Amino acid sequence: MTALADPDTALAAFAGERARLRALAYRLLGSVAEAEDALQDAWLRWSAVAPGSVGSAPAFLTTLVTRLALDRLRSARVARERYYGLWLPEPEVAGWDDGSEDGAESESVPMAMLLLLERLAPDQRAVFVLREAMDLDYAEIAGMLGKSVEACRQIMRRARARMAEPSAAMADPDAGRRLAAAFAEASVRRDYAAIVALLSDDAQWLSDGGGMVRTAVKPLFGADRIARFLIGVQRKRAVSFRFVPVRVNGGPGLLAELSGSFRSVLAFDVADGRILRVYQVANPQKLERVRSF
């Protein structure tokens, strides 16, 4: 039995699980801010637990964070349904040579996966994440969610059916970084042919400005349209882009500035040496935790 004899013991137990709990909360919520808030709520409740009353700190904390995140997710889904334009997850941004702040870079989850998770109902998302990402068995998941083992199995089957879409494989980091750098260089030069050559023929551009900044409200499809859009923005505003290579959700990305006044994060899905999808997160509220590089 885990004994929580004093605040220092409780803090140490929580700190030892924090990276894993943060990864869990982020997968469930798709928001860095919401994940951090869920962890703060979990810590407050954990610090009030009676000494000696917990059999397993990791299991207790996993259950606690899952339930707190589910409560937040149910409320967030209503807001996301009313969101202006396309909703994208809040990005996790790091320098290319930085380690994860929590020492868990391997826990990064690509934007494509987070968007697929948005298809799931809250209970489906919880079961899928706990099973696939946290590697828990159905008996553990059932206990955490207050459901039967068979109900959890059925929820998982439905979740997998809704997630049944091929997603871009994580590209070789160096290859992805080179593609992102080439894309930045071509965009700065306003080189239409070079941009098109870097993009898959059926490439997609997905923007999230949250109604707070001007972006492409609807997805853009095709290399030609994306290239014309990028060049057109610079010409129309008589400004130019500045790009800084970064790692976004573990994959290739760019921190973009438009004449120092407009800031956004670009993440890329790449395969077979070309860019399949570009995610532009420009909503300032989703960039509050992104530092300058």
Side-chain angles (χ1 to χ4, degrees), residues 21-92:
L21 296 172
R22 185 183 183 281
L24 169 62
Y26 181 60
R27 280 173 166 82
L28 289 173
L29 293 164
S31 165
V32 176
E34 291 285 343
E36 293 290 350
D37 288 345
L39 287 189
Q40 180 62 26
D41 289 347
W43 162 247
L44 292 174
R45 299 195 186 196
W46 172 245
S47 61
V49 170
S53 64
V54 174
S56 167
F60 181 92
L61 288 168
T62 300
T63 300
L64 180 58
V65 169
T66 297
R67 291 178 177 176
L68 289 170
L70 276 175
D71 288 342
R72 289 179 174 274
L73 182 60
R74 291 184 180 108
S75 299
R77 284 176 68 86
V78 176
R80 290 174 191 178
E81 288 172 358
R82 300 172 181 170
Y83 195 80
Y84 180 84
L86 179 67
W87 182 92
L88 291 177
E90 183 179 347
E92 291 192 299

Side-chain angles (χ1 to χ4, degrees), residues 112-278:
M113 175 58 72
L114 287 173
L115 283 179
L116 285 176
L117 287 171
E118 283 295 309
R119 297 179 177 184
L120 304 181
D123 284 349
Q124 291 176 333
R125 187 163 183 164
V127 172
F128 187 91
V129 169
L130 290 170
R131 179 66 176 162
E132 293 291 320
M134 301 292 111
D135 198 29
L136 301 183
D137 62 40
Y138 285 110
E140 292 174 297
I141 296 170
M144 291 176 181
L145 300 182
K147 299 180 183 293
S148 70
V149 171
E150 182 52 38
C152 289
R153 290 183 185 277
Q154 189 170 27
I155 290 171
M156 186 64 173
R157 286 193 290 269
R158 292 172 179 167
R160 281 178 172 152
R162 297 203 68 181
M163 294 279 286
E165 174 182 297
S167 58
M170 184 69 78
D172 172 75
D174 290 334
R177 183 176 184 176
R178 287 194 297 271
L179 268 176
F183 180 86
E185 183 180 349
S187 298
V188 169
R189 295 200 316 265
R190 305 183 190 183
D191 188 333
Y192 169 87
I195 295 172
V196 168
L198 291 166
L199 295 167
S200 171
D201 293 340
D202 56 352
Q204 299 178 35
W205 177 283
L206 308 176
S207 295
D208 177 352
M212 304 180 71
V213 297
R214 293 178 62 184
T215 58
V217 177
K218 296 182 179 180
L220 303 177
F221 298 97
D224 169 73
R225 190 175 181 191
I226 293 171
R228 287 190 289 108
F229 167 75
L230 286 170
I231 295 170
V233 167
Q234 295 184 77
R235 287 177 175 168
K236 185 174 182 180
R237 300 186 187 180
V239 291
S240 60
F241 286 115
R242 173 182 176 269
F243 294 101
V244 178
V246 291
R247 196 184 298 273
V248 182
N249 289 58
L254 298 168
L255 183 62
E257 292 183 355
L258 192 61
S259 290
S261 61
F262 175 82
R263 193 165 180 246
S264 65
V265 167
L266 303 182
F268 299 88
D269 285 344
V270 304
D272 300 324
R274 301 178 79 184
I275 297 169
L276 301 177
R277 194 174 292 117
V278 184

